[in-house]
Structures are given as structure tokens and as C-alpha cells.
Amino acid sequence: MKKIFLLFLIIIALFANSEPIAEYKMDECVWDGTAGEIKDSSLDGIDNNGTIKGKVLLIDKGKICNSRLFNGGAIDIDDLNVSTAYGDKTTVSFWIYWYGTDNVMPFGWYAYDLAFTRGYFGFNTGNSDLYGIKSSKLLNGWHHIVAIFTNGDYTKNKLYIDGVEQKLKQI
């Protein structure tokens, strides 16, 4: 069973400015996961709502409010204004609770994604490998992830866990 909790997700395009181009607050009590849609909360004036696919369940943990359990489900977001120009960077930030399930992708778009595979977590290079770290430190706890994707050169990507930059290696 592939399970991942996501609490909060922000997508920021650094090439344009430092304002989020999309923001999805999964911890808000007002979000209705049964409606098939998740609302973009960013203030950029562009509607980047997403569509819920598969099992995305509401989990009331009594903390901030709620979180979402992605049990084989996903949220599809079409037409985000993210640059694909060589060298441009896109930053993704989210909270995650990982149960240790292998072969899960907590975030991805086009040819870019973060994945848990064979005991590691990191950037998928597209060559059946990862550029990342051992995943054991992420097991069974909430962690804040910030990933900076660099178009055309994954060795310039950066990964921060709980505010600490990680030393990445080819896996």
C-alpha cells in the first residue's frame, strides 16, 4: 500500500519573482477533498486549481486542522507557468509524513520529480537513478522539504530537509 501524507504545498518559480505561482493548503478545514478539486490559494491572480485523482483522504489529526492521505491518489494541476529554459530554477516546498513505502513520488511535473526508491529520496534524473540522500531520516515523522529544481542540470539541484541543506549524491 503506497501511503504519503501531505500537509502543505507551495510551488514557487524563482526565475520570475519570489511570489508563489501556486499554493495548496491541505491543512485548511475548509478544503473539501470530496469535491474533486483543490483550490489554489496564491495571490498571483491566476487560477491554478487542481483535480483530485484516486484516493486522497481527509485525516483529522487534531493539530493545525487536517492533513491528506495520498493512498495511491494524486492531485493533477494543469498549465502551471513554470519555465523550462535551461538553467532556470523552480522551488517546491511541502510538509510530508512518510511511512517507508518504496516507489512513491510525493511531487512531480513534466520530466521533474522527487521520489522514494530503494532506500533513497531525491531527484529523479531520468536515467533510472536518483540524485539524493538515504531516506531513513524521513521515516515516520513530519518533515519540511524544500527542493530546488534546475532545468537541464540536476547536479545543480538543491534539497533542504527541516531547513538543513542536504549533501546530494548520485544513487
Side-chain angles (χ1 to χ4, degrees):
M1 184 178 297
K2 296 182 178 181
K3 292 186 194 177
I4 264 187
F5 276 111
L6 285 181
L7 182 64
F8 188 77
L9 171 66
I10 300 175
I11 302 168
I12 302 172
L14 293 178
F15 63 90
N17 57 45
S18 62
E19 295 298 317
I21 59 170
E23 180 177 17
Y24 307 95
K25 296 182 179 180
M26 293 177 218
D27 63 336
E28 291 181 333
C29 295
V30 299
W31 182 59
D32 180 7
T34 63
E37 185 176 62
I38 182 169
K39 300 285 186 185
D40 174 11
S41 300
S42 68
L43 301 175
D44 69 351
I46 300 171
D47 179 8
N48 290 306
N49 294 342
T51 304
I52 299 166
K53 305 285 185 179
K55 292 182 182 178
V56 179
L57 307 172
L58 169 68
I59 305 297
D60 184 353
K61 291 288 187 182
K63 300 211 181 216
I64 294 172
C65 187
N66 301 308
S67 59
R68 307 296 166 197
L69 174 61
F70 288 74
N71 190 5
I75 296 174
D76 287 343
I77 303 159
D78 294 327
D79 301 323
L80 281 177
N81 185 23
V82 177
S83 174
T84 57
Y86 185 87
D88 279 355
K89 298 175 186 288
T90 301
T91 300
V92 177
S93 171
F94 57 94
W95 285 92
I96 190 170
Y97 190 106
W98 178 59
Y99 288 100
T101 307
D102 202 23
N103 297 320
V104 291
M105 183 189 312
F107 187 84
W109 83 96
Y110 184 58
Y112 302 96
D113 61 73
L114 294 169
F116 288 95
T117 303
R118 299 181 311 271
Y120 293 93
F121 173 69
F123 298 91
N124 180 351
T125 70
N127 296 311
S128 298
D129 61 357
L130 291 177
Y131 186 61
I133 60 167
K134 287 187 177 184
S135 58
S136 56
K137 68 169 100 180
L138 298 173
L139 186 60
N140 294 323
W142 282 106
H143 297 281
H144 185 248
I145 308 293
V146 175
I148 302 173
F149 294 83
T150 304
N151 294 341
D153 188 353
Y154 67 84
T155 64
K156 292 184 179 176
N157 291 351
K158 292 187 178 192
L159 181 65
Y160 296 83
I161 298 176
D162 299 325
V164 177
E165 184 173 0
Q166 304 298 299
K167 184 173 179 170
L168 305 176
K169 65 179 185 175
Q170 195 75 31
I171 302 163

